[in-house]
Amino acid sequence: MALITQRIDVPVLVDESKCLEKCTACIEVCPLDVLAKDPQTGKAYMKYDECWFCLPCEKECPTNAITVQIPFLLR
Amino acid sequence: MNISTNTQWMKTDVLVIGGGTAGTMAAIKAKQANPDGDVLILEKANIRRSGAIAMGMDGVNTAVIPGHSTPEQYVREVTIANDGIVNQKAVYQTGKLGYETIQELESWGVKFQKDAQGNYDLKQVHRVGKYVLPMPEGKDLKTILTRQVKRHKVNVTNRVMATRVIVQEGRAIGAVGFDVRAGHFVVIQAKAVILCTGACGRLGLPESGYLYSTYENPTNAGDGYSMAYHAGAELTNIECFQINPLIKDYNGPACAYVAGPFGAHTTNAEGHRFINCDYWSGQMMLEVWKELNSGKGPIQLKMTHLDEDTISEIERVLWANERPSRERFHAGRGEDYRTHGIEMNISEIGLCSGHSASGVWVNENAETTVPGLYAAGDLASVPHNYMIGAFVFGRIAGTHAIEYLQDLDHLAPDREFLEAEKARIYTPLNQPNGIPHTQIEYKLRRWVNDYLQPPKSEPKLAIGLQNFIRYHETLDQMGAHDPHELMRCMEVHFIRDCAEMAARASIYRRESRWGLYHYRLDFPEKNDEEWFCHVNLKKDEAGAMRLFKRAIEPYVVDVDLHQEAYDVAVR
């Protein structure tokens, strides 16, 4: 099977200047498990575009580093 | 990445699959009944924020509070709204046990709305009785339940998804699944299994085309419907789909249950009311469908006539609970309740007994037709059960399961079964360049819309069914790069099973019933003579899907269905 990688506008935005490298609060609460740590920077990012825009990641982030946008197709 | 496919073995007395509303309650109740019993919640997300109430709930929709209504009244109302196709004994449990459930939740710190005298402040949304109890502070429900789970010393394993229940010697003896992060295979031996995996919310495709913008929490992919089916349990009323009137594109509730009691109402584009009751029923949805197809649409939830204080209060509730991102959706479109109606549309179809009636067959003790296998919550066939019904049946399932298993021992799972399931699960990982699950899921769910979305007709349903059957081969071509993608792949298997069940059950019932939920253009009338019964289905010994009629259990509350036909149209 031939596969390509596509660019996608993702709903969950992380302010890397606020994201704490040792914290995984957002990753642990996401029902769809779509957030992960960038192994290079230690910052959280949206790894899979599978968002219910339900907001636990944003609410539970201790430094307000996360902003959830309504996914583009619905916005 | 390095993915382990080693096997992790676990052992428990009661295994609860799914730690949402019903699951957390089932586990707590099992521990209360027998503190020495081992109870394990297996959750594919994290119980702190999982399931339908991950972000709380703005109210109890089916609260039967003494002095306001009676269980009998409630059973009557639900029976009529379901055109008589109910197991009343099960519905009665929700009416009878809801009050003590609410009191227990209150003792744990859940807040319900009270009036100045300290009485529960119930609102009328149903056609006759008052059953809606607002919870303006309901946003932390799940964190409160999680605290109780810990306090009751329930074991919790997060981020493991079950794929099959193990049945041996005629009873449920555990489950298998895999860790959705590390990837390893998980086998759990149990003496009783409670399925609490919620709705099949990822059945139809939302009009936006975004796979996860479903009404239900999209983690609820019909896991339990599929697992119960493969365990040999009966499912019922699958043709009675869940279809809801939702905010167009956003796909969450608008929400008339909250705003209605404040004076909001549903109107057509001309601003006229066309339904006299905002309670979600198939009959109400049929009126919505007719209005949208009459040239008088689109329809809207209208609040522009309300005063500033009232609108602010509605916003305060809606912006904090259940689907709080509503606020930014409206803001992004420059819409305000003060000046704009909320455009609503018909949702994608799903299976969910919490809102309609499609589920795994359970009796009043939350027992499925497989010994040792229980079901509670949105997937258990107690019509219109909503959140409080999930709590009630969680309680019943937990207490019955722990009592049932007293004299039972663990059974060693059959090695051949485990190996076969392991091979099935890991197929996509062994072919990482196979077709991505996103494309496979999209096409499957587009066909669900094309062929199953009401109004239904046999020729259309039959094409859908053939496509779903042939889709087995397509699923074999799925590829996954990591355990996370593997989780989504296995969910597509659940969705396919649900689509096939939905097609077959819809073809089988040759009449129309439940308003839009099962509206057959080729059989537009209700036919009580032939179809006043459940349509049940199960996997037979040869592995084929078999459909059959199941008689309605004798009523415990008299209802004259001819006198009290459910009609909410404004004429």
Side-chain angles (χ1 to χ4, degrees):
Chain A
M1 197 66 54
L3 299 171
I4 59 159
T5 308
Q6 284 183 310
R7 297 192 311 129
I8 294 174
D9 176 89
V10 297
V12 181
L13 308 178
V14 180
D15 180 343
E16 292 199 353
S17 69
K18 291 185 188 165
C19 179
L20 306 174
E21 281 161 39
K22 285 188 178 149
C23 174
T24 58
C26 60
I27 295 169
E28 293 315 320
V29 294
C30 175
L32 283 116
D33 208 14
V34 302
L35 303 172
K37 280 292 176 97
D38 182 326
Q40 248 79 63
T41 62
K43 308 290 183 180
Y45 75 108
M46 190 170 190
K47 188 175 179 188
Y48 307 94
D49 177 29
E50 301 161 357
C51 185
W52 194 40
F53 36 104
C54 55
L55 310 187
C57 55
E58 187 179 299
K59 301 274 178 206
E60 307 236 0
C61 173
T63 61
N64 296 319
I66 292 187
T67 308
V68 177
Q69 309 183 86
I70 302 294
F72 175 77
L73 292 178
L74 289 63
R75 212 178 291 157
Chain B
M1 73 184 281
N2 208 352
I3 300 163
S4 158
T5 53
N6 294 336
T7 302
Q8 179 189 3
W9 288 80
M10 301 171 90
K11 226 177 211 184
T12 183
D13 291 327
V14 177
L15 170 63
V16 180
I17 303 179
T21 316
T24 49
M25 186 61 95
I28 291 166
K29 282 289 148 182
K31 282 300 266 191
Q32 283 180 358
N34 180 3
D36 296 329
D38 281 333
V39 179
L40 170 67
I41 295 177
L42 195 69
E43 165 63 55
K44 68 170 155 181
N46 182 314
I47 66 161
R48 187 175 160 81
R49 295 287 185 190
S50 65
I53 60 167
M55 283 303 276
M57 191 46 69
D58 48 38
V60 174
N61 294 333
T62 54
V64 177
I65 308 284
H68 293 275
S69 61
T70 64
E72 287 73 17
Q73 210 182 348
Y74 172 73
V75 169
R76 195 169 292 124
E77 182 128 3
V78 171
T79 302
I80 295 164
N82 280 280
D83 287 344
I85 311 298
V86 292
N87 176 2
Q88 279 197 346
K89 281 185 198 154
V91 177
Y92 193 87
Q93 295 281 46
T94 299
K96 190 176 69 177
L97 300 173
Y99 181 51
E100 59 179 78
T101 303
I102 287 167
Q103 288 179 308
E104 183 166 42
L105 289 168
E106 204 164 28
S107 76
W108 293 343
V110 178
K111 292 196 181 82
F112 300 94
Q113 188 161 300
K114 298 205 167 154
D115 61 20
Q117 284 75 44
N119 300 313
Y120 292 118
D121 188 11
L122 287 141
K123 308 290 181 191
Q124 182 170 349
V125 173
H126 291 61
R127 214 171 52 123
V128 181
K130 276 186 175 183
Y131 307 103
V132 171
L133 176 56
M135 301 169 65
E137 316 292 334
K139 66 180 173 15
D140 295 322
L141 250 184
K142 210 59 210 300
T143 43
I144 291 170
L145 287 166
T146 302
R147 202 180 310 139
Q148 289 302 324
V149 163
K150 285 185 187 146
R151 205 165 274 173
H152 284 83
K153 300 195 165 51
V154 172
N155 299 313
V156 177
T157 295
N158 289 315
R159 306 293 176 189
V160 169
M161 182 169 90
T163 58
R164 287 286 187 267
V165 172
I166 312 171
V167 178
Q168 270 171 230
E169 298 183 9
R171 64 181 173 100
I173 61 145
V176 294
F178 64 100
D179 186 300
V180 302
R181 287 186 175 169
H184 55 261
F185 190 55
V186 178
V187 180
I188 303 124
Q189 289 179 261
K191 296 171 184 172
V193 178
I194 308 176
L195 290 172
C196 301
T197 55
C200 178
R202 252 166 57 218
L203 188 56
L205 182 68
E207 283 185 327
S208 67
Y210 189 63
L211 290 171
Y212 312 96
S213 66
T214 45
Y215 166 69
E216 294 288 344
N217 184 325
T219 52
N220 297 347
D223 313 28
Y225 289 79
S226 173
M227 285 191 278
Y229 172 73
H230 289 289
E234 285 181 33
L235 291 96
T236 191
N237 309 331
I238 297 297
E239 69 281 17
C240 177
F241 299 163
Q242 169 182 223
I243 307 169
N244 299 323
L246 303 177
I247 302 172
K248 187 176 178 303
D249 295 348
Y250 178 75
N251 229 13
C255 153
Y257 285 22
V258 169
F262 286 101
H265 47 250
T266 307
T267 74
N268 59 25
E270 296 164 1
H272 295 131
R273 301 178 73 156
F274 61 95
I275 45 174
N276 57 34
C277 173
D278 275 306
Y279 178 65
W280 289 2
S281 64
Q283 296 82 352
M284 182 262 217
M285 283 310 302
L286 184 57
E287 296 307 323
V288 169
W289 181 81
K290 285 181 188 165
E291 201 69 11
L292 286 171
N293 287 283
S294 73
K296 291 182 194 152
I299 62 160
Q300 55 183 327
L301 183 68
K302 188 170 165 288
M303 302 185 217
T304 49
H305 56 289
L306 304 177
D307 63 44
E308 173 57 34
D309 286 355
T310 307
I311 292 182
S312 304
E313 178 60 18
I314 293 171
E315 285 178 343
R316 196 177 71 78
V317 177
L318 292 181
W319 296 169
N321 291 287
E322 190 182 3
R323 301 301 308 279
S325 63
R326 276 181 280 228
E327 179 181 16
R328 57 195 73 171
F329 173 78
H330 294 311
R333 298 211 170 177
E335 291 170 359
D336 189 300
Y337 296 163
R338 290 155 190 80
T339 47
H340 296 73
I342 308 172
E343 185 184 352
M344 294 199 295
N345 207 2
I346 293 179
S347 72
E348 71 281 358
I349 68 162
L351 305 180
C352 174
S353 221
H355 294 96
S356 60
S358 41
V360 177
W361 175 268
V362 291
N363 63 12
E364 64 274 21
N365 298 328
E367 294 162 334
T368 72
T369 55
V370 172
L373 184 63
Y374 298 77
D378 277 346
L379 91 162
S381 68
V382 188
H384 296 209
N385 223 10
Y386 284 95
M387 179 179 73
I388 220 67
F391 281 133
V392 164
F393 272 79
R395 289 163 73 109
I396 295 170
T399 44
H400 277 81
I402 198 98
E403 195 188 312
Y404 152 87
L405 60 77
Q406 273 186 357
D407 302 319
L408 292 175
D409 289 322
H410 287 111
L411 283 184
D414 177 60
R415 288 277 165 184
E416 230 169 273
F417 173 85
L418 296 182
E419 286 309 314
E421 180 57 6
K422 194 171 181 178
R424 187 184 77 91
I425 291 175
Y426 290 106
T427 299
L429 269 186
N430 294 330
Q431 50 191 35
N433 290 333
I435 304 173
H437 63 86
T438 44
Q439 285 179 298
I440 300 247
E441 181 173 337
Y442 185 92
K443 188 148 97 180
L444 173 62
R445 291 172 60 193
R446 182 171 60 75
W447 277 340
V448 167
N449 284 16
D450 291 347
Y451 298 110
L452 299 188
Q453 177 105 20
K456 310 174 187 178
S457 69
E458 177 150 357
K460 260 172 67 174
L461 294 165
I463 297 171
L465 176 59
Q466 284 315 308
N467 288 349
F468 303 143
I469 293 171
R470 281 182 46 207
Y471 220 60
H472 270 302
E473 295 157 31
T474 308
L475 298 191
D476 290 341
Q477 299 172 44
M478 262 190 300
H481 285 95
D482 59 32
H484 177 90
E485 290 186 9
L486 189 61
M487 162 169 64
R488 297 283 171 256
C489 290
M490 288 299 110
E491 287 172 345
V492 180
H493 281 265
F494 295 145
I495 298 168
R496 195 221 65 84
D497 286 346
C498 289
E500 182 180 342
M501 289 190 255
R504 287 191 193 273
S506 294
I507 290 170
Y508 190 82
R509 183 181 282 278
R510 293 160 72 89
E511 63 150 4
S512 288
R513 196 172 286 268
W514 304 290
L516 187 65
Y517 299 164
H518 184 65
Y519 179 29
R520 287 273 305 251
L521 290 172
D522 45 354
F523 297 98
E525 302 299 324
K526 192 158 64 181
N527 177 354
D528 278 336
E529 241 163 66
E530 284 183 62
W531 294 104
F532 192 76
C533 60
H534 298 281
V535 169
N536 278 23
L537 64 83
K538 66 177 287 192
K539 189 175 177 178
D540 67 17
E541 278 75 39
M545 198 177 286
R546 187 165 70 81
L547 287 96
F548 51 97
K549 292 181 176 181
R550 183 173 180 134
I552 306 286
E553 298 282 321
Y555 281 1
V556 291
V557 176
D558 282 337
V559 179
D560 185 342
L561 288 161
H562 297 288
Q563 288 294 311
E564 301 192 75
Y566 203 90
D567 186 358
V568 294
V570 171
R571 291 181 220 284

PDB file of all heavy atoms in Angstrom, chain B residues 400-419:
ATOM      1  N   HIS B 400     -25.761  -7.745  42.083  1.00  0.00           N
ATOM      2  CA  HIS B 400     -26.111  -9.097  41.645  1.00  0.00           C
ATOM      3  C   HIS B 400     -24.886  -9.902  41.239  1.00  0.00           C
ATOM      4  O   HIS B 400     -24.805 -11.094  41.517  1.00  0.00           O
ATOM      5  CB  HIS B 400     -27.126  -9.047  40.498  1.00  0.00           C
ATOM      6  CG  HIS B 400     -28.530  -8.883  40.965  1.00  0.00           C
ATOM      7  ND1 HIS B 400     -29.055  -7.657  41.314  1.00  0.00           N
ATOM      8  CD2 HIS B 400     -29.506  -9.790  41.201  1.00  0.00           C
ATOM      9  CE1 HIS B 400     -30.303  -7.815  41.725  1.00  0.00           C
ATOM     10  NE2 HIS B 400     -30.604  -9.103  41.676  1.00  0.00           N
ATOM     11  N   ALA B 401     -23.940  -9.246  40.585  1.00  0.00           N
ATOM     12  CA  ALA B 401     -22.757  -9.972  40.112  1.00  0.00           C
ATOM     13  C   ALA B 401     -21.955 -10.533  41.293  1.00  0.00           C
ATOM     14  O   ALA B 401     -21.522 -11.687  41.273  1.00  0.00           O
ATOM     15  CB  ALA B 401     -21.887  -9.064  39.252  1.00  0.00           C
ATOM     16  N   ILE B 402     -21.772  -9.733  42.315  1.00  0.00           N
ATOM     17  CA  ILE B 402     -20.933 -10.174  43.438  1.00  0.00           C
ATOM     18  C   ILE B 402     -21.619 -11.301  44.215  1.00  0.00           C
ATOM     19  O   ILE B 402     -20.961 -12.179  44.776  1.00  0.00           O
ATOM     20  CB  ILE B 402     -20.540  -8.975  44.350  1.00  0.00           C
ATOM     21  CG1 ILE B 402     -19.343  -9.319  45.219  1.00  0.00           C
ATOM     22  CG2 ILE B 402     -21.693  -8.506  45.221  1.00  0.00           C
ATOM     23  CD1 ILE B 402     -18.037  -8.844  44.707  1.00  0.00           C
ATOM     24  N   GLU B 403     -22.946 -11.285  44.204  1.00  0.00           N
ATOM     25  CA  GLU B 403     -23.676 -12.360  44.880  1.00  0.00           C
ATOM     26  C   GLU B 403     -23.658 -13.643  44.045  1.00  0.00           C
ATOM     27  O   GLU B 403     -23.458 -14.736  44.569  1.00  0.00           O
ATOM     28  CB  GLU B 403     -25.125 -11.892  45.112  1.00  0.00           C
ATOM     29  CG  GLU B 403     -25.881 -12.735  46.103  1.00  0.00           C
ATOM     30  CD  GLU B 403     -27.347 -12.353  46.149  1.00  0.00           C
ATOM     31  OE1 GLU B 403     -27.639 -11.139  46.246  1.00  0.00           O
ATOM     32  OE2 GLU B 403     -28.182 -13.268  46.060  1.00  0.00           O
ATOM     33  N   TYR B 404     -23.812 -13.477  42.743  1.00  0.00           N
ATOM     34  CA  TYR B 404     -23.839 -14.618  41.804  1.00  0.00           C
ATOM     35  C   TYR B 404     -22.575 -15.467  41.896  1.00  0.00           C
ATOM     36  O   TYR B 404     -22.602 -16.688  41.806  1.00  0.00           O
ATOM     37  CB  TYR B 404     -24.042 -14.077  40.389  1.00  0.00           C
ATOM     38  CG  TYR B 404     -23.461 -14.923  39.273  1.00  0.00           C
ATOM     39  CD1 TYR B 404     -24.204 -15.971  38.706  1.00  0.00           C
ATOM     40  CD2 TYR B 404     -22.182 -14.674  38.764  1.00  0.00           C
ATOM     41  CE1 TYR B 404     -23.671 -16.742  37.677  1.00  0.00           C
ATOM     42  CE2 TYR B 404     -21.645 -15.445  37.755  1.00  0.00           C
ATOM     43  CZ  TYR B 404     -22.390 -16.472  37.210  1.00  0.00           C
ATOM     44  OH  TYR B 404     -21.853 -17.233  36.203  1.00  0.00           O
ATOM     45  N   LEU B 405     -21.426 -14.802  42.078  1.00  0.00           N
ATOM     46  CA  LEU B 405     -20.157 -15.525  41.910  1.00  0.00           C
ATOM     47  C   LEU B 405     -19.657 -16.214  43.176  1.00  0.00           C
ATOM     48  O   LEU B 405     -18.612 -16.869  43.161  1.00  0.00           O
ATOM     49  CB  LEU B 405     -19.076 -14.567  41.380  1.00  0.00           C
ATOM     50  CG  LEU B 405     -18.718 -13.336  42.232  1.00  0.00           C
ATOM     51  CD1 LEU B 405     -17.833 -13.651  43.412  1.00  0.00           C
ATOM     52  CD2 LEU B 405     -18.055 -12.305  41.333  1.00  0.00           C
ATOM     53  N   GLN B 406     -20.429 -16.092  44.263  1.00  0.00           N
ATOM     54  CA  GLN B 406     -19.940 -16.563  45.564  1.00  0.00           C
ATOM     55  C   GLN B 406     -19.334 -17.969  45.573  1.00  0.00           C
ATOM     56  O   GLN B 406     -18.296 -18.200  46.173  1.00  0.00           O
ATOM     57  CB  GLN B 406     -21.067 -16.490  46.598  1.00  0.00           C
ATOM     58  CG  GLN B 406     -21.127 -15.116  47.249  1.00  0.00           C
ATOM     59  CD  GLN B 406     -22.138 -15.048  48.368  1.00  0.00           C
ATOM     60  OE1 GLN B 406     -22.848 -16.012  48.636  1.00  0.00           O
ATOM     61  NE2 GLN B 406     -22.212 -13.905  49.009  1.00  0.00           N
ATOM     62  N   ASP B 407     -20.002 -18.894  44.908  1.00  0.00           N
ATOM     63  CA  ASP B 407     -19.519 -20.274  44.953  1.00  0.00           C
ATOM     64  C   ASP B 407     -18.778 -20.679  43.680  1.00  0.00           C
ATOM     65  O   ASP B 407     -18.563 -21.865  43.425  1.00  0.00           O
ATOM     66  CB  ASP B 407     -20.707 -21.227  45.184  1.00  0.00           C
ATOM     67  CG  ASP B 407     -21.441 -20.878  46.471  1.00  0.00           C
ATOM     68  OD1 ASP B 407     -20.746 -20.567  47.463  1.00  0.00           O
ATOM     69  OD2 ASP B 407     -22.682 -20.885  46.471  1.00  0.00           O
ATOM     70  N   LEU B 408     -18.383 -19.713  42.884  1.00  0.00           N
ATOM     71  CA  LEU B 408     -17.729 -20.029  41.610  1.00  0.00           C
ATOM     72  C   LEU B 408     -16.220 -19.920  41.709  1.00  0.00           C
ATOM     73  O   LEU B 408     -15.687 -19.144  42.497  1.00  0.00           O
ATOM     74  CB  LEU B 408     -18.223 -19.082  40.509  1.00  0.00           C
ATOM     75  CG  LEU B 408     -19.681 -19.234  40.061  1.00  0.00           C
ATOM     76  CD1 LEU B 408     -20.030 -18.151  39.067  1.00  0.00           C
ATOM     77  CD2 LEU B 408     -19.927 -20.610  39.473  1.00  0.00           C
ATOM     78  N   ASP B 409     -15.544 -20.682  40.878  1.00  0.00           N
ATOM     79  CA  ASP B 409     -14.086 -20.593  40.774  1.00  0.00           C
ATOM     80  C   ASP B 409     -13.721 -19.996  39.414  1.00  0.00           C
ATOM     81  O   ASP B 409     -14.524 -20.004  38.490  1.00  0.00           O
ATOM     82  CB  ASP B 409     -13.448 -21.980  40.905  1.00  0.00           C
ATOM     83  CG  ASP B 409     -13.554 -22.500  42.329  1.00  0.00           C
ATOM     84  OD1 ASP B 409     -13.408 -21.682  43.269  1.00  0.00           O
ATOM     85  OD2 ASP B 409     -13.822 -23.705  42.494  1.00  0.00           O
ATOM     86  N   HIS B 410     -12.474 -19.553  39.328  1.00  0.00           N
ATOM     87  CA  HIS B 410     -11.978 -19.119  38.026  1.00  0.00           C
ATOM     88  C   HIS B 410     -11.813 -20.328  37.110  1.00  0.00           C
ATOM     89  O   HIS B 410     -11.520 -21.429  37.573  1.00  0.00           O
ATOM     90  CB  HIS B 410     -10.619 -18.422  38.181  1.00  0.00           C
ATOM     91  CG  HIS B 410     -10.726 -17.066  38.790  1.00  0.00           C
ATOM     92  ND1 HIS B 410     -10.259 -16.770  40.051  1.00  0.00           N
ATOM     93  CD2 HIS B 410     -11.244 -15.913  38.309  1.00  0.00           C
ATOM     94  CE1 HIS B 410     -10.497 -15.507  40.329  1.00  0.00           C
ATOM     95  NE2 HIS B 410     -11.093 -14.951  39.290  1.00  0.00           N
ATOM     96  N   LEU B 411     -11.994 -20.109  35.831  1.00  0.00           N
ATOM     97  CA  LEU B 411     -11.722 -21.160  34.844  1.00  0.00           C
ATOM     98  C   LEU B 411     -10.525 -20.735  34.011  1.00  0.00           C
ATOM     99  O   LEU B 411     -10.365 -19.546  33.700  1.00  0.00           O
ATOM    100  CB  LEU B 411     -12.923 -21.352  33.913  1.00  0.00           C
ATOM    101  CG  LEU B 411     -14.137 -22.129  34.420  1.00  0.00           C
ATOM    102  CD1 LEU B 411     -15.158 -22.279  33.306  1.00  0.00           C
ATOM    103  CD2 LEU B 411     -13.727 -23.497  34.955  1.00  0.00           C
ATOM    104  N   ALA B 412      -9.694 -21.677  33.635  1.00  0.00           N
ATOM    105  CA  ALA B 412      -8.557 -21.344  32.772  1.00  0.00           C
ATOM    106  C   ALA B 412      -9.056 -21.102  31.351  1.00  0.00           C
ATOM    107  O   ALA B 412      -9.727 -21.967  30.782  1.00  0.00           O
ATOM    108  CB  ALA B 412      -7.553 -22.488  32.791  1.00  0.00           C
ATOM    109  N   PRO B 413      -8.752 -19.950  30.766  1.00  0.00           N
ATOM    110  CA  PRO B 413      -9.235 -19.678  29.408  1.00  0.00           C
ATOM    111  C   PRO B 413      -8.614 -20.640  28.396  1.00  0.00           C
ATOM    112  O   PRO B 413      -7.450 -21.027  28.521  1.00  0.00           O
ATOM    113  CB  PRO B 413      -8.769 -18.248  29.139  1.00  0.00           C
ATOM    114  CG  PRO B 413      -8.486 -17.653  30.467  1.00  0.00           C
ATOM    115  CD  PRO B 413      -8.046 -18.788  31.341  1.00  0.00           C
ATOM    116  N   ASP B 414      -9.405 -20.997  27.436  1.00  0.00           N
ATOM    117  CA  ASP B 414      -8.988 -21.895  26.377  1.00  0.00           C
ATOM    118  C   ASP B 414      -7.854 -21.269  25.556  1.00  0.00           C
ATOM    119  O   ASP B 414      -7.991 -20.169  25.023  1.00  0.00           O
ATOM    120  CB  ASP B 414     -10.211 -22.165  25.482  1.00  0.00           C
ATOM    121  CG  ASP B 414      -9.867 -23.043  24.311  1.00  0.00           C
ATOM    122  OD1 ASP B 414      -9.428 -24.171  24.550  1.00  0.00           O
ATOM    123  OD2 ASP B 414     -10.011 -22.586  23.159  1.00  0.00           O
ATOM    124  N   ARG B 415      -6.723 -21.991  25.460  1.00  0.00           N
ATOM    125  CA  ARG B 415      -5.526 -21.457  24.777  1.00  0.00           C
ATOM    126  C   ARG B 415      -5.799 -21.140  23.310  1.00  0.00           C
ATOM    127  O   ARG B 415      -5.318 -20.149  22.775  1.00  0.00           O
ATOM    128  CB  ARG B 415      -4.383 -22.482  24.857  1.00  0.00           C
ATOM    129  CG  ARG B 415      -3.797 -22.596  26.243  1.00  0.00           C
ATOM    130  CD  ARG B 415      -2.758 -21.500  26.473  1.00  0.00           C
ATOM    131  NE  ARG B 415      -2.452 -21.387  27.898  1.00  0.00           N
ATOM    132  CZ  ARG B 415      -1.648 -20.473  28.420  1.00  0.00           C
ATOM    133  NH1 ARG B 415      -1.076 -19.574  27.654  1.00  0.00           N
ATOM    134  NH2 ARG B 415      -1.425 -20.424  29.710  1.00  0.00           N
ATOM    135  N   GLU B 416      -6.557 -22.012  22.673  1.00  0.00           N
ATOM    136  CA  GLU B 416      -6.842 -21.817  21.250  1.00  0.00           C
ATOM    137  C   GLU B 416      -7.612 -20.524  21.010  1.00  0.00           C
ATOM    138  O   GLU B 416      -7.324 -19.775  20.083  1.00  0.00           O
ATOM    139  CB  GLU B 416      -7.673 -22.999  20.744  1.00  0.00           C
ATOM    140  CG  GLU B 416      -7.148 -23.633  19.475  1.00  0.00           C
ATOM    141  CD  GLU B 416      -7.874 -24.932  19.204  1.00  0.00           C
ATOM    142  OE1 GLU B 416      -7.429 -25.982  19.724  1.00  0.00           O
ATOM    143  OE2 GLU B 416      -8.901 -24.877  18.515  1.00  0.00           O
ATOM    144  N   PHE B 417      -8.589 -20.290  21.899  1.00  0.00           N
ATOM    145  CA  PHE B 417      -9.377 -19.048  21.791  1.00  0.00           C
ATOM    146  C   PHE B 417      -8.461 -17.833  21.940  1.00  0.00           C
ATOM    147  O   PHE B 417      -8.542 -16.876  21.180  1.00  0.00           O
ATOM    148  CB  PHE B 417     -10.470 -19.033  22.868  1.00  0.00           C
ATOM    149  CG  PHE B 417     -11.223 -17.725  22.963  1.00  0.00           C
ATOM    150  CD1 PHE B 417     -12.314 -17.464  22.143  1.00  0.00           C
ATOM    151  CD2 PHE B 417     -10.824 -16.740  23.873  1.00  0.00           C
ATOM    152  CE1 PHE B 417     -12.996 -16.251  22.220  1.00  0.00           C
ATOM    153  CE2 PHE B 417     -11.496 -15.518  23.957  1.00  0.00           C
ATOM    154  CZ  PHE B 417     -12.587 -15.281  23.123  1.00  0.00           C
ATOM    155  N   LEU B 418      -7.586 -17.894  22.949  1.00  0.00           N
ATOM    156  CA  LEU B 418      -6.688 -16.758  23.197  1.00  0.00           C
ATOM    157  C   LEU B 418      -5.768 -16.510  22.004  1.00  0.00           C
ATOM    158  O   LEU B 418      -5.567 -15.375  21.582  1.00  0.00           O
ATOM    159  CB  LEU B 418      -5.854 -16.991  24.464  1.00  0.00           C
ATOM    160  CG  LEU B 418      -6.616 -17.076  25.782  1.00  0.00           C
ATOM    161  CD1 LEU B 418      -5.628 -17.258  26.942  1.00  0.00           C
ATOM    162  CD2 LEU B 418      -7.489 -15.844  26.024  1.00  0.00           C
ATOM    163  N   GLU B 419      -5.224 -17.564  21.445  1.00  0.00           N
ATOM    164  CA  GLU B 419      -4.300 -17.407  20.318  1.00  0.00           C
ATOM    165  C   GLU B 419      -5.022 -16.826  19.102  1.00  0.00           C
ATOM    166  O   GLU B 419      -4.496 -15.969  18.389  1.00  0.00           O
ATOM    167  CB  GLU B 419      -3.646 -18.754  19.957  1.00  0.00           C
ATOM    168  CG  GLU B 419      -2.581 -19.196  20.948  1.00  0.00           C
ATOM    169  CD  GLU B 419      -1.527 -18.124  21.237  1.00  0.00           C
ATOM    170  OE1 GLU B 419      -1.030 -17.502  20.282  1.00  0.00           O
ATOM    171  OE2 GLU B 419      -1.228 -17.891  22.427  1.00  0.00           O
TER     172      GLU B 419
END
